[in-house]
PDB file of all heavy atoms in Angstrom:
ATOM      1  N   CYS A  78      -4.802   9.695   2.212  1.00 92.00           N
ATOM      2  CA  CYS A  78      -5.717   8.792   2.934  1.00 92.00           C
ATOM      3  C   CYS A  78      -5.821   7.447   2.235  1.00 92.00           C
ATOM      4  O   CYS A  78      -5.764   6.388   2.884  1.00 92.00           O
ATOM      5  CB  CYS A  78      -7.098   9.430   3.054  1.00 92.00           C
ATOM      6  SG  CYS A  78      -7.135  10.898   4.098  1.00 92.00           S
ATOM      7  N   ILE A  79      -5.966   7.465   0.903  1.00 92.00           N
ATOM      8  CA  ILE A  79      -6.039   6.215   0.143  1.00 92.00           C
ATOM      9  C   ILE A  79      -4.723   5.454   0.267  1.00 92.00           C
ATOM     10  O   ILE A  79      -4.710   4.226   0.435  1.00 92.00           O
ATOM     11  CB  ILE A  79      -6.387   6.510  -1.332  1.00 92.00           C
ATOM     12  CG1 ILE A  79      -7.805   7.052  -1.432  1.00 92.00           C
ATOM     13  CG2 ILE A  79      -6.213   5.271  -2.204  1.00 92.00           C
ATOM     14  CD1 ILE A  79      -8.161   7.598  -2.802  1.00 92.00           C
ATOM     15  N   HIS A  80      -3.624   6.161   0.188  1.00 91.00           N
ATOM     16  CA  HIS A  80      -2.298   5.540   0.304  1.00 91.00           C
ATOM     17  C   HIS A  80      -2.140   4.862   1.664  1.00 91.00           C
ATOM     18  O   HIS A  80      -1.684   3.718   1.759  1.00 91.00           O
ATOM     19  CB  HIS A  80      -1.230   6.621   0.098  1.00 91.00           C
ATOM     20  CG  HIS A  80       0.147   6.102  -0.094  1.00 91.00           C
ATOM     21  ND1 HIS A  80       0.952   5.751   0.950  1.00 91.00           N
ATOM     22  CD2 HIS A  80       0.858   5.876  -1.225  1.00 91.00           C
ATOM     23  CE1 HIS A  80       2.115   5.335   0.485  1.00 91.00           C
ATOM     24  NE2 HIS A  80       2.074   5.401  -0.831  1.00 91.00           N
ATOM     25  N   THR A  81      -2.525   5.549   2.718  1.00 90.00           N
ATOM     26  CA  THR A  81      -2.403   4.992   4.067  1.00 90.00           C
ATOM     27  C   THR A  81      -3.303   3.783   4.257  1.00 90.00           C
ATOM     28  O   THR A  81      -2.881   2.761   4.809  1.00 90.00           O
ATOM     29  CB  THR A  81      -2.739   6.070   5.112  1.00 90.00           C
ATOM     30  OG1 THR A  81      -1.866   7.181   4.919  1.00 90.00           O
ATOM     31  CG2 THR A  81      -2.568   5.545   6.521  1.00 90.00           C
ATOM     32  N   MET A  82      -4.541   3.863   3.782  1.00 90.00           N
ATOM     33  CA  MET A  82      -5.462   2.728   3.935  1.00 90.00           C
ATOM     34  C   MET A  82      -5.022   1.524   3.110  1.00 90.00           C
ATOM     35  O   MET A  82      -5.123   0.382   3.563  1.00 90.00           O
ATOM     36  CB  MET A  82      -6.886   3.135   3.551  1.00 90.00           C
ATOM     37  CG  MET A  82      -7.593   3.899   4.628  1.00 90.00           C
ATOM     38  SD  MET A  82      -7.520   3.108   6.254  1.00 90.00           S
ATOM     39  CE  MET A  82      -8.226   1.522   5.912  1.00 90.00           C
ATOM     40  N   SER A  83      -4.539   1.763   1.904  1.00 89.00           N
ATOM     41  CA  SER A  83      -4.059   0.659   1.080  1.00 89.00           C
ATOM     42  C   SER A  83      -2.831   0.017   1.707  1.00 89.00           C
ATOM     43  O   SER A  83      -2.697  -1.208   1.715  1.00 89.00           O
ATOM     44  CB  SER A  83      -3.729   1.148  -0.328  1.00 89.00           C
ATOM     45  OG  SER A  83      -4.874   1.636  -0.959  1.00 89.00           O
ATOM     46  N   GLY A  84      -1.941   0.832   2.255  1.00 87.00           N
ATOM     47  CA  GLY A  84      -0.774   0.291   2.952  1.00 87.00           C
ATOM     48  C   GLY A  84      -1.160  -0.517   4.172  1.00 87.00           C
ATOM     49  O   GLY A  84      -0.569  -1.566   4.454  1.00 87.00           O
ATOM     50  N   THR A  85      -2.158  -0.049   4.895  1.00 87.00           N
ATOM     51  CA  THR A  85      -2.646  -0.795   6.059  1.00 87.00           C
ATOM     52  C   THR A  85      -3.241  -2.127   5.633  1.00 87.00           C
ATOM     53  O   THR A  85      -2.988  -3.165   6.268  1.00 87.00           O
ATOM     54  CB  THR A  85      -3.704   0.034   6.817  1.00 87.00           C
ATOM     55  OG1 THR A  85      -3.110   1.271   7.214  1.00 87.00           O
ATOM     56  CG2 THR A  85      -4.231  -0.697   8.025  1.00 87.00           C
ATOM     57  N   THR A  86      -4.005  -2.126   4.557  1.00 87.00           N
ATOM     58  CA  THR A  86      -4.613  -3.367   4.066  1.00 87.00           C
ATOM     59  C   THR A  86      -3.548  -4.368   3.648  1.00 87.00           C
ATOM     60  O   THR A  86      -3.627  -5.556   3.984  1.00 87.00           O
ATOM     61  CB  THR A  86      -5.556  -3.065   2.883  1.00 87.00           C
ATOM     62  OG1 THR A  86      -6.519  -2.099   3.300  1.00 87.00           O
ATOM     63  CG2 THR A  86      -6.254  -4.312   2.410  1.00 87.00           C
ATOM     64  N   ILE A  87      -2.527  -3.894   2.944  1.00 85.00           N
ATOM     65  CA  ILE A  87      -1.442  -4.788   2.525  1.00 85.00           C
ATOM     66  C   ILE A  87      -0.699  -5.317   3.740  1.00 85.00           C
ATOM     67  O   ILE A  87      -0.378  -6.509   3.821  1.00 85.00           O
ATOM     68  CB  ILE A  87      -0.490  -4.056   1.557  1.00 85.00           C
ATOM     69  CG1 ILE A  87      -1.206  -3.770   0.236  1.00 85.00           C
ATOM     70  CG2 ILE A  87       0.771  -4.866   1.312  1.00 85.00           C
ATOM     71  CD1 ILE A  87      -0.456  -2.842  -0.691  1.00 85.00           C
TER      72      ILE A  87
END
Side-chain angles (χ1 to χ4, degrees):
C78 293
I79 293 170
H80 192 277
T81 303
M82 281 310 303
S83 297
T85 302
T86 304
I87 292 170

